[in-house]
Amino acid sequence: MTRPVRQKLPLWRWDPFLLGVVLVGSLIGAVFERLDLPVVTAVALTVLLLIAGAAAVLLVLPLFVLALRRDGEGTLALGPGVTLVEGETDDVLPVVDGKRHQGSIEAALAHGVSPFTAVLVPRATAWLGRDYRVAVDIVIGSRVYRTGYLPREIDQRADAALAPLAEQGRYVTVPASILNQKRPYTLRVAVGPSIVGPTEHGPGQ
């Protein structure tokens, strides 16, 4: 089976790129200041200031505009516009890349009890990553806790199936289990073929 091309966050919305634009703009501006060329320096500094300012605005704007958050971006926020729909549960898959979310998993354990329910969030991004991933967030009451992502082998197929639903405010939930009670935590989710298609590895691999 041909693997789907990995979808990436637009470069202009990627934090390291925007931060790089600000830093490079500042460095080039410092060079022009030292050269102190008549007219050229003033024009160059104005252009660089506009570019760096725009990059800085794009960098911080997602903190205030929900639609621009890089997780779908940002951990899913439950509310009136979000409907949770139960998904199929045929195959058990590992939740990967959970090392950065150990504190969040621990909080989920502290506030909830097994069996857990997880919501699959398409168009999510891992820390400093450009690839779109499918995040796995445990739902407890009105709170969600990021725990990791679906495996890379199937996440693009899952994203293609889940993204159209998410655009309508519909997010698929699946059973989740936390396999141990102390760090490092590992998780599993049960996901059906309508989301991930036929799996290419056995359960738990």
Side-chain angles (χ1 to χ4, degrees):
M1 178 182 294
T2 302
R3 296 181 186 276
V5 177
R6 297 202 69 80
Q7 301 295 311
K8 293 182 179 292
L9 184 72
L11 193 61
W12 62 271
R13 293 179 69 181
W14 189 37
D15 285 347
F17 173 76
L18 295 173
L19 185 59
V21 169
V22 174
L23 293 176
V24 171
S26 300
L27 291 174
I28 296 175
V31 171
F32 273 103
E33 269 194 315
R34 296 191 67 176
L35 292 175
D36 197 20
L37 301 172
V39 182
V40 174
T41 293
V43 172
L45 287 176
T46 300
V47 172
L48 289 169
L49 182 62
L50 289 173
I51 293 173
V57 169
L58 290 173
L59 195 60
V60 301
L61 199 58
L63 297 175
F64 307 99
V65 181
L66 185 63
L68 291 179
R69 289 185 182 170
R70 290 166 179 79
D71 229 3
E73 269 165 71
T75 300
L76 175 68
L78 300 181
V82 172
T83 302
L84 301 182
V85 182
E86 286 190 28
E88 296 175 329
T89 59
D90 291 354
D91 288 309
V92 176
L93 301 174
V95 177
V96 301
D97 297 345
K99 292 181 180 179
R100 294 189 179 276
H101 304 288
Q102 293 291 297
S104 180
I105 299 170
E106 196 166 54
L109 274 171
H111 292 91
V113 294
S114 185
F116 293 98
T117 296
V119 58
L120 303 179
V121 184
R123 296 287 154 149
T125 51
W127 186 73
L128 295 185
R130 277 190 68 201
D131 286 358
Y132 280 127
R133 310 286 300 277
V134 175
V136 179
D137 292 356
I138 284 181
V139 181
I140 299 175
S142 61
R143 298 285 302 275
V144 290
Y145 300 87
R146 176 61 44 86
T147 63
Y149 305 86
L150 291 184
R152 284 182 176 273
E153 292 80 5
I154 51 86
D155 67 348
Q156 293 300 290
R157 295 197 299 273
D159 185 84
L162 295 167
L165 296 174
E167 290 174 0
Q168 303 170 22
R170 296 164 61 85
Y171 290 83
V172 173
T173 63
V174 294
S177 55
I178 300 175
L179 302 185
N180 46 336
Q181 299 299 304
K182 62 180 181 179
R183 299 191 185 201
Y185 301 107
T186 56
L187 291 88
R188 298 285 186 271
V189 289
V191 183
S194 65
I195 299 298
V196 300
T199 56
E200 299 174 5
H201 57 271
Q205 292 184 346

